Amino acid sequence: MCGIGGLVYTRGTQPCGQDVLDRMAAALQHRGPDGAHFARFPHADLIHTRLSIIDIAGGDQPLSAGSGTLIANGEIYNDPEIRAQIGPEHFRTGSDCESPLRLWERHGADFPRHLRGMYAIALYDSAQDELLLCRDPFGIKPLYFTEFDGGVAFASEPAVLLAANLTPRNASSSTRDELLQLQFTTGRETIFKGISRVLPGETVRIVQGRILDRQRLSPLPSSPKVQPPLTEETALAQLDEALMNSVQAHERADVPFGLFLSGGIDSASLLTAMSRLPRPEKLRTWTAVFDAPNAANEAEAAAALARSAQAEHQTVRITANKVWQHLPAIVACMDDPAADYAIIPTWFLAQEATKDVRVILSGEGGDELFAGYGRYRSAVRPWWQGGRRMWRHGMFDSLDILRNRPTRWRDGIMAAEMAAPHVPTRLSAAQAIDIAEWLPNDLLLKLDRCLMAHGLEGRTPLLDPVVADLAWRLPDTLRVRGDKGKWLLRRWLEQHCPAARPFAPKQGFTVPIGAWIAQDGARLGQLVAQQDCIQEIAKPERVRALFQAAAGRKTGPAAWTLLFYALWHRTHIRGLAPAGDVFETLNQSS
């Protein structure tokens, strides 16, 4: 895993100085602590910082072939098959990222159609003065760009473009409202004015420093209809084959790897598949547990599951004091903001795991592909049976906290809803909305930033074309049955790991952030309420009251969102580094 960045210039534009490239490389260092390399051309500059995972000795980038030069952040899981097809004699390194370069020589801009993996790729053709920016179809790996008078700059993170002063630190008020109401932002435009996302599956073609066209791959098959219909027995056999194929491919690495084990269906399924594969040493697993009264705790169940798989297991205990000590740094890594409190356990798990491994497998995508969320079951019910559309209420609706009621915060979700009717069932439509927006702009964003903050690569075997193709062909009855989502995945786990108890009630994995905030509600509320960015959008007296009542089901997430935004704004709009714990940091910024 790595960090990438660069610039392409319009004709007549003077290339930037080395100081700009050095600032970009410094801002990318946490993504690639094993070294930085540059490639400078008359009309383009490329930067690559490397986290060595495969071909440690010989896989440095940029990689070149003919007039093409490539830098990439990702893993190509069908690299062995591509090499066999093209011929090993055509490859100069053992790096899996050489495969896209060789495919480009044969297929041009269509080369991503032949890739199986997670990736953000920049490929510059010096002969044509053409840059291709490509992102994997699920959006597992991030990529951003900004247009300026002299061309286009791009990077793995918006913070890199800001650190190099390639665009001003201005926040969009409409996207900010979306963040407050949804806790994530949708679509192409980020919260930073002028900084855009390369969309999942998109290839952006830039010629002579100007965007010329875009094409896009879908992460899902064109139709999820089953021809012929799958029986449960056949589907279970195909799921077993797909899971084992994906996990084996995702385990390819020349460095140690491990697994985040939450106690849920998705990570238990990965552990089960991983335990069936031969390995030279014990598998390592990590689980978070929260030190708070009445907090959901599946640590014992996770530890027992790890023992059954003969894994070396570690439980990471998270306390309120640890959260307050590290929260400014945690929020600082979320430059593209997602106010999902799951960033807290993910960050602490990564902090521990990086002591032993460099790659982590994680279960993101299982709920979206196999229909695990309760909101899917609600979305498919008729209105007279309690059916309702997803994301219909915002975080601050009816709380009387904000000065002005956000009005267009659902525009991105509505766009995804308009695209979703092209699938054949209401359940598929609900899943497609989340796959388009919630998955890449919250869950995968959280995993990428929290792991990369600690120099870890994250891999998601459930978000693999082999698995997705099967999941999307399942009839609704194999996705949801009664009150149980992920029906087929539960049945598979029941067959291969009964100790996981896949049909037993689950306690969940909810961070007790509301209870922690309420313990220091008066102090935190006062500090948050006096921030300029909060006073601009919210009523200070209502903010203070909200924090003291933060133990509630609705008030807790709302208080957390304002706390997140206050810290995020300080770092990424004002450009100030964390200054101690959460109390010290907020006190110094008011």
Side-chain angles (χ1 to χ4, degrees):
M1 198 54 56
C2 306
I4 65 173
L7 305 95
V8 286
Y9 308 101
T10 56
R11 295 298 173 92
T13 297
Q14 184 72 23
C16 70
Q18 184 64 39
D19 61 319
V20 173
L21 303 184
D22 289 341
R23 287 199 299 271
M24 294 179 73
L28 286 166
Q29 185 179 16
H30 63 283
R31 300 188 69 91
D34 297 329
H37 297 87
F38 304 87
R40 305 209 68 175
F41 302 90
H43 304 295
D45 290 305
L46 304 179
I47 308 161
H48 186 266
T49 62
R50 188 180 184 205
L51 175 63
S52 303
I53 301 296
I54 292 177
D55 190 12
I56 294 173
D60 285 344
Q61 299 180 36
L63 299 170
S64 297
S67 62
T69 301
L70 173 144
I71 52 176
N73 165 32
E75 301 293 342
I76 307 303
Y77 300 122
N78 63 335
D79 173 61
E81 292 80 5
I82 294 171
R83 288 173 180 266
Q85 181 183 16
I86 293 177
E89 68 276 8
H90 295 285
F91 289 77
R92 300 174 185 171
T93 75
S95 171
D96 57 308
C97 289
E98 189 176 352
S99 284
L101 184 62
R102 300 301 169 185
L103 289 170
W104 169 77
E105 290 183 297
R106 288 157 176 75
H107 303 287
D110 284 335
F111 76 87
R113 296 181 181 276
H114 303 271
L115 296 177
R116 173 190 178 186
M118 57 177 187
Y119 53 84
I121 295 171
L123 201 159
Y124 181 64
D125 181 350
S126 58
Q128 302 298 321
D129 192 12
E130 175 179 292
L131 177 73
L132 301 175
L133 298 178
C134 315
R135 192 175 175 204
D136 67 79
F138 279 108
I140 303 170
K141 291 292 97 185
L143 191 55
Y144 303 84
F145 65 90
T146 184
E147 299 180 72
F148 61 98
D149 288 342
V152 178
F154 66 92
S156 296
E157 299 179 6
V160 178
L161 303 173
L162 297 172
N165 297 322
L166 293 168
T167 189
R169 295 177 180 270
N170 294 328
S172 161
S173 59
S174 60
T175 311
R176 176 205 62 205
D177 289 349
E178 184 180 44
L179 172 68
L180 294 173
Q181 290 285 71
L182 287 176
Q183 295 189 304
F184 66 98
T185 67
T186 63
R188 183 182 303 282
E189 302 310 316
T190 71
I191 197 170
F192 301 103
K193 291 181 180 179
I195 299 182
S196 302
R197 300 179 179 112
V198 176
L199 295 174
E202 190 173 49
T203 295
V204 179
R205 183 168 167 246
I206 304 168
V207 178
Q208 296 185 9
R210 298 297 184 199
I211 295 175
L212 191 63
D213 59 51
R214 299 178 171 97
Q215 57 185 12
R216 195 172 180 191
L217 299 173
S218 170
L220 303 170
S222 58
S223 173
K225 293 181 180 178
V226 184
Q227 297 293 339
L230 281 173
T231 65
E232 186 166 317
E233 182 180 359
T234 300
L236 282 168
Q238 292 185 10
L239 177 59
D240 185 67
E241 182 180 359
L243 281 176
M244 295 308 299
N245 181 296
S246 179
V247 169
Q248 187 170 32
H250 281 71
E251 284 195 358
R252 291 177 190 147
D254 295 335
V255 294
F257 57 85
L259 171 72
F260 285 169
L261 188 60
S262 70
I265 298 299
D266 302 329
S267 60
S269 298
L270 294 183
L271 178 66
T272 301
M274 295 170 80
S275 69
R276 293 166 61 187
L277 294 172
R279 64 188 67 258
E281 57 185 24
K282 278 191 173 183
L283 175 65
R284 295 174 183 266
T285 57
W286 289 264
T287 295
V289 61
F290 306 111
D291 187 4
N294 303 316
N297 183 359
E298 294 196 341
E300 290 185 10
L305 192 58
R307 286 194 298 271
S308 72
Q310 299 183 328
E312 185 176 321
H313 184 67
Q314 183 175 346
T315 298
V316 179
R317 184 167 295 275
I318 302 173
T319 67
N321 286 338
K322 286 178 67 175
V323 171
W324 299 146
Q325 179 185 353
H326 294 283
L327 189 60
I330 297 172
V331 174
C333 79
M334 301 298 299
D335 59 334
D336 188 357
D340 184 337
Y341 44 59
I343 63 175
I344 294 172
T346 306
W347 193 92
F348 282 111
L349 286 169
Q351 185 186 50
E352 289 300 317
T354 195
K355 299 173 184 177
D356 300 306
V357 299
R358 302 199 79 177
V359 175
I360 284 292
L361 273 63
S362 189
E364 274 74 10
D367 285 301
E368 291 76 17
L369 284 177
F370 291 94
Y373 294 130
R375 61 176 177 259
Y376 296 157
R377 299 190 287 282
S378 175
V380 301
R381 287 194 290 265
W383 65 268
W384 62 87
Q385 294 180 2
R388 56 196 182 190
R389 67 179 183 176
M390 300 195 306
W391 310 105
R392 72 195 189 284
H393 292 310
M395 182 66 61
F396 289 90
D397 287 0
S398 75
L399 285 179
D400 190 29
I401 302 292
L402 303 181
R403 294 186 184 276
N404 299 302
R405 178 176 175 268
T407 58
R408 303 195 60 183
W409 62 272
R410 265 195 112 258
D411 285 1
I413 295 298
M414 289 175 60
E417 289 172 339
M418 292 177 65
H422 295 290
V423 298
T425 72
R426 293 175 65 185
L427 178 57
S428 297
Q431 292 174 264
I433 293 167
D434 276 349
I435 289 169
E437 297 294 351
W438 156 261
L439 181 62
N441 298 322
D442 186 305
L443 303 185
L444 295 174
L445 181 66
K446 167 209 68 181
L447 185 70
D448 175 83
R449 296 303 200 279
C450 291
L451 267 63
M452 289 270 68
H454 297 284
L456 279 175
E457 172 176 301
R459 297 184 180 181
T460 52
L462 297 179
L463 293 176
D464 181 87
V466 173
V467 178
D469 286 352
L470 170 64
W472 209 239
R473 288 189 292 111
L474 296 176
D476 287 359
T477 55
L478 292 183
R479 306 184 199 195
V480 175
R481 192 168 298 183
D483 65 345
K484 297 293 185 185
K486 292 193 279 199
W487 178 264
L488 189 70
L489 200 57
R490 293 176 190 271
R491 286 281 292 114
W492 179 87
L493 198 55
E494 184 181 48
Q495 281 190 358
H496 295 280
C497 186
R501 302 178 64 229
F503 287 96
K506 295 293 180 181
Q507 295 186 50
F509 190 67
T510 301
V511 182
I513 192 64
W516 284 337
I517 290 175
Q519 290 173 4
D520 284 291
R523 186 180 177 191
L524 274 173
Q526 177 61 32
L527 287 170
V528 171
Q530 66 192 28
Q531 305 301 310
D532 290 343
C533 65
I534 298 298
Q535 292 192 7
E536 179 185 358
I537 62 174
K539 306 169 186 175
E541 70 282 1
R542 295 294 299 157
V543 172
R544 289 190 287 269
L546 173 71
F547 273 73
Q548 295 188 61
R553 183 180 62 85
K554 189 169 178 63
T555 54
W560 155 253
T561 301
L562 290 181
L563 174 59
F564 175 95
Y565 181 69
L567 292 168
W568 178 89
H569 189 278
R570 182 187 189 278
T571 297
H572 296 293
I573 299 300
R574 297 180 62 188
L576 301 174
D581 66 18
V582 67
F583 304 103
E584 294 165 333
T585 296
L586 289 173
N587 192 51
Q588 290 189 29
S589 61
S590 58

